[in-house]
Amino acid sequence: MNPFISIMLLSTLILSTMIVTISSHWLFAWIGLEMNMMAIIPIMMKKPTPRATEASTKYFLTQATASALLMLAIIINLMYSSQWTIMKLFNPTASILMTMALAIKLGLAPFHFWVPEVTQGIPLTTGLILLTWQKLAPISILYQISPSINLHLMVTMSFLSILIGGWGGLNQTQLRKIMAYSSIAHMGWMTTILLYNPSLTMLNLLIYIIMTFTMFTLLAQNSTTTTLLLSQTWNTMPIMTTFTMLTLLSMGGLPPLTGFMPKWMIIQELTKNESLLLPTLMAITALLNLYFYMRLAYSTALTLFPSTNNMKMKWQFYPTKQMTLLPTAIVLSTMLLPLTPMFFILL
Amino acid sequence: MLKFIIPTIMLMPLTWLSKNNFIWVNTTIHSLLISFTSLLLLNQFNDNSLNYSLTFFSDSLSAPLLMLTMWLLPLTLMASQSHLTKEPLTRKKLYITMLITLQTLLIMTFTATELIMFYITFESTLIPTLIIITRWGNQPERLNAGLYFLFYTLMGSLPLLVALTYLQNTLGSLNFLLLQYWAQPLPISWSNTLMWLAYMMAFLVKMPLYGLHLWLPKAHVEAPIAGSMVLAAVLLKLGGYGMLRITSILSPMTEHMAHPFLVLSLWGMIMTSSICLRQTDLKSLIAYSSVSHMALVITAALIQTPWSYMGATALMIAHGLTSSMLFCLANSNYERTHSRTMILARGLQIFLPLMTTWWLLACLANLALPPTINLIGELLVITSTFSWSNLTIILMAMNILITALYSLYMLITTQRGKHSHHINNLTPSFTREHTLMALHIIPLLLLSLNPKIILGFLY
């Protein structure tokens, strides 16, 4: 892409999220969300294939619907509170509408259908932006309206997301779809705790972004998009197999890796609020997620997949692709558990 | 406790930085030296525990298990030498690193004070074990075995996490030493029933209880020798250790809740012993024998009398050493014939007479011959279950009989009788293998001179 356009789009993308997070006027936040959507669509269309067009169209339609619903909720809130300040909402209808709008933006079940389709149609790095950066703006709004969100709606949507994120990913071999379902499940974990302790939502989001960034960067090293291609990493970069496996296990929430930390904190916070069945069910459903991560870990690191004869031992050249921040991200996504007390700064 | 943990962690740089032909020597010798330091823990007080810090403590229950764990690392390293000869150097070092990581985590599990720390390290032992089973196992079934192992254990232990956080919110602290005094009697109600199940299922799956034991034959059979040894000797005892610890805060609910699990264990012990008589796979036989012995430990832990606790602890240590030795013996057969089928290598006494001695001692220990500590454990458990209910003596007697039957069946099939024709050119036993067996059986026999140290905290 022409570097000028690229700079313009990326800066609009970053600026839009910043606008959403720092604004105190509902209209301004809505504008930020619209800018966000507008900026990412040309990035998704970098290679104008029909598949990318389909993904961008699906993304546009769902996000535009969500923005419209969001505007409706803002207006209803305006009617009942006569002010535009972003704080808790003053009307249950507005609250429910806004929660659903933001759920569509985030890809929470039952509005999750666009996430796998869109993630599959775009290149890996754009998928990374979609699944990490794009979550920041809606979650910041959810954080700010969290006192007025309907508990039943939120918990239903989040538990449904964890279920669907787990079950949906089971039959996939395309890595981008697997990461999309993983994103749905993690969003479910994040929004469960929103009403009890929103700082844990932020913690979970932070850890999720680090782990997803690691995962996508590892995938982008080999330009692998299917399980079959991933299984060939032992040939080209053997050390990546270890890191891929550790990151996958971390995303599955196994101690002593970092991914256990948000789950543990969320379970602790939920039990403090006297709900015991929900965290048990959530934890057990997260095992579905672990199953397809384990399948990927098996094909990557723990077995040597058969390969064609002329691929037997590739010359191991120095990697030419830039490994931006990969070592840092790997360390952060596997070894951060002993530093759990450090995250009290988020409170 | 750092005097054990830090040297064990430092075994990892030792592995990676040693010269090529010294990795096995260095790690074995140094882990042996570290295991000798654990003998310091024998100096246990009667009524309280050695509190090393806020995070680690050791009492008469965890000390023998810790000694067993630390003794087992040099043994696993010795046992793995042969099947890793053909691997590239980095993979050998990775394998040793997995064993060392597992060891560190096991030490931290057995000495953890805070129950969440216990939980985290308990779960963390899954990852190195999974990697050892799946990466270095030999048959394609190992993939399924790893998945079964991981998911059975995780399904059981996730409710434990929720229950532990609930306990922390209720009682204020999960420091085990405080919990013993703070714990209130648990009234009988539906929610307390679910909570009891949440606590116990993790350990029951790990032990394993008869209905949930499906992962064990798979994992034990598919694992390489070090994996089998560590699984059988130590990882099963994690479940037993957890049960013995957690039942002290769960009374009197346990008397009400324990009946189905007692029935399952008592019946399961007969079932799994009987199935041993029909096994063709040697490792599978030893795996089912482990289930049977552990069912006795579950029974003992659930009836909660002083004698049963002593029997459970003694049985755990005895079974750890015996079962690990049996796996080593089975592995020595496997390395020669590359098959686990029992009847393929029969009549070995003619060819490997000294190995027959070790087979004999291991099988005799397995069937709880006096005066081994296996007998002490079983006798204490049988007596205490008899006092709990007179009818159990029938099941226990049947179990002893069937255990004797399959142990002797295993011995006679492999050692006695006419040898199979193709084992004429068997490689003779290595000194390393003899050392391995000797190092297993000598602690077992010496402990029968002073079993007081393994009788746990109610002695």
Side-chain angles (χ1 to χ4, degrees), chain B residues 191-206:
Chain B
S191 51
N192 280 340
T193 307
L194 287 174
M195 192 171 83
W196 190 93
L197 279 176
Y199 281 117
M200 295 298 259
M201 285 320 274
F203 305 119
L204 288 171
V205 169
K206 202 80 173 148

Side-chain angles (χ1 to χ4, degrees), chain A residues 255 272 283 287 290 294 298, chain B residues 123 130 143 147 151 154 158 169:
Chain A
K272 269 190 206 160
L287 287 179
L290 182 64
M294 279 308 304
Y298 271 13
Chain B
E123 292 289 290
L130 175 76
L143 303 174
L147 281 174
F151 282 95
L154 279 176
L158 285 168
N169 294 330

Side-chain angles (χ1 to χ4, degrees), chain B residues 96-285:
Chain B
I96 301 176
T97 311
M98 285 297 121
L99 285 174
I100 295 171
T101 323
L102 185 57
Q103 174 82 337
T104 322
L105 292 168
L106 282 169
I107 296 175
M108 287 166 69
T109 317
F110 281 125
T111 54
T113 315
E114 177 82 29
L115 283 181
I116 295 265
M117 170 83 159
F118 168 77
Y119 176 82
I120 291 182
T121 44
F122 174 78
E123 292 289 290
S124 316
T125 57
L126 290 176
I127 296 186
T129 320
L130 175 76
I131 295 178
I132 293 177
I133 295 177
T134 329
R135 177 66 184 79
W136 277 280
N138 279 321
Q139 278 78 29
E141 289 81 17
R142 71 188 194 274
L143 303 174
N144 225 6
L147 281 174
Y148 266 72
F149 168 66
L150 188 69
F151 282 95
Y152 264 68
T153 319
L154 279 176
M155 275 291 245
S157 59
L158 285 168
L160 175 65
L161 179 61
V162 179
L164 283 176
T165 43
Y166 173 72
L167 190 67
Q168 172 156 40
N169 294 330
T170 328
L171 284 184
S173 157
L174 278 179
N175 188 328
F176 181 70
L177 304 165
L178 293 176
L179 270 187
Q180 289 174 306
Y181 302 111
W182 280 357
Q184 309 290 332
L186 216 58
I188 299 179
S189 70
W190 279 108
S191 51
N192 280 340
T193 307
L194 287 174
M195 192 171 83
W196 190 93
L197 279 176
Y199 281 117
M200 295 298 259
M201 285 320 274
F203 305 119
L204 288 171
V205 169
K206 202 80 173 148
M207 288 255 19
L209 182 65
Y210 174 60
L212 305 163
H213 68 290
L214 201 51
W215 64 271
L216 186 131
K218 289 183 162 43
H220 275 97
V221 163
E222 302 302 331
I225 179 60
S228 287
M229 283 167 75
V230 140
L231 260 175
V234 189
L235 288 176
L236 265 50
K237 316 306 182 269
L238 276 178
Y241 174 74
M243 271 176 74
L244 290 173
R245 287 270 185 239
I246 214 90
T247 42
S248 62
I249 59 169
L250 285 180
S251 58
M253 187 81 204
T254 315
E255 294 149 13
H256 176 71
M257 280 297 299
H259 293 283
F261 302 103
L262 277 166
V263 167
L264 270 175
S265 329
L266 286 168
W267 187 238
M269 129 190 121
I270 308 271
M271 282 282 105
T272 44
S273 321
S274 318
I275 209 80
C276 285
L277 288 169
R278 297 291 294 165
Q279 289 296 328
T280 52
D281 184 341
L282 188 54
K283 273 179 109 169
S284 191
L285 198 155

Side-chain angles (χ1 to χ4, degrees), chain A residues 61-289:
Chain A
L61 287 173
T62 49
Q63 300 285 308
T65 317
S67 297
L69 276 176
L70 187 68
M71 185 48 102
L72 177 61
I74 294 172
I75 302 289
I76 295 178
N77 183 41
L78 174 69
M79 272 172 50
Y80 279 88
S81 66
S82 71
Q83 47 90 33
W84 290 89
T85 321
I86 295 184
M87 54 160 78
K88 73 180 185 74
L89 296 172
F90 290 91
N91 183 349
T93 316
S95 158
I96 291 183
L97 277 173
M98 189 171 290
T99 315
M100 289 207 290
L102 292 170
I104 299 177
K105 283 215 178 276
L106 282 175
L108 280 178
F111 309 114
H112 65 282
F113 292 96
W114 62 270
V115 188
E117 311 291 323
V118 173
T119 321
Q120 180 59 29
I122 56 184
L124 273 173
T125 35
T126 319
L128 168 64
I129 301 178
L130 177 72
L131 291 181
T132 54
W133 185 259
Q134 298 292 86
K135 312 288 182 195
L136 287 175
I139 293 236
S140 74
I141 300 186
L142 274 176
Y143 184 99
Q144 289 167 18
I145 63 169
S146 60
S148 51
I149 298 181
N150 187 346
L151 176 67
H152 302 291
L153 178 67
M154 204 68 207
V155 168
T156 314
M157 282 202 295
S158 38
F159 186 58
L160 209 54
S161 304
I162 303 176
L163 268 176
I164 289 181
W167 253 306
L170 284 180
N171 202 23
Q172 306 296 339
T173 54
Q174 295 287 332
L175 292 175
R176 287 170 288 181
K177 277 201 177 155
I178 287 182
M179 294 309 293
Y181 281 107
S182 143
S183 151
I184 297 172
H186 281 265
M187 284 296 132
W189 276 89
M190 276 181 238
T191 46
T192 308
I193 200 65
L194 189 65
L195 293 164
Y196 297 103
N197 191 351
S199 7
L200 282 180
T201 308
M202 291 303 161
L203 172 69
N204 200 349
L205 183 66
L206 179 66
I207 305 287
Y208 164 72
I209 287 180
I210 296 174
M211 292 194 296
T212 314
F213 175 77
T214 315
M215 198 60 214
F216 268 101
T217 320
L218 282 169
L219 294 178
Q221 282 301 312
N222 270 331
S223 306
T224 57
T225 53
T226 61
T227 317
L228 192 60
L229 284 174
L230 189 64
S231 64
Q232 306 295 339
T233 43
W234 66 267
N235 216 346
T236 48
M237 284 182 260
I239 196 69
M240 293 299 184
T241 59
T242 319
F243 294 144
T244 314
M245 179 183 68
L246 285 176
T247 314
L248 283 167
L249 290 175
S250 178
M251 288 209 296
L254 284 185
L257 304 168
T258 313
F260 177 65
M261 185 208 316
K263 295 199 160 67
W264 172 28
M265 292 288 115
I266 289 179
I267 289 179
Q268 192 165 27
E269 202 60 38
L270 283 172
T271 51
K272 269 190 206 160
N273 283 294
E274 300 293 326
S275 93
L276 290 173
L277 186 60
L278 179 67
T280 319
L281 287 177
M282 280 163 58
I284 293 185
T285 322
L287 287 179
L288 287 167
N289 258 348

Side-chain angles (χ1 to χ4, degrees), chain B residues 49-52 55-59 62 111-113 176-177 245:
Chain B
S49 46
L50 291 171
N51 298 335
Y52 289 99
T55 2
F56 298 118
F57 83 115
S58 96
D59 75 348
S62 60
T111 54
T113 315
F176 181 70
L177 304 165
R245 287 270 185 239

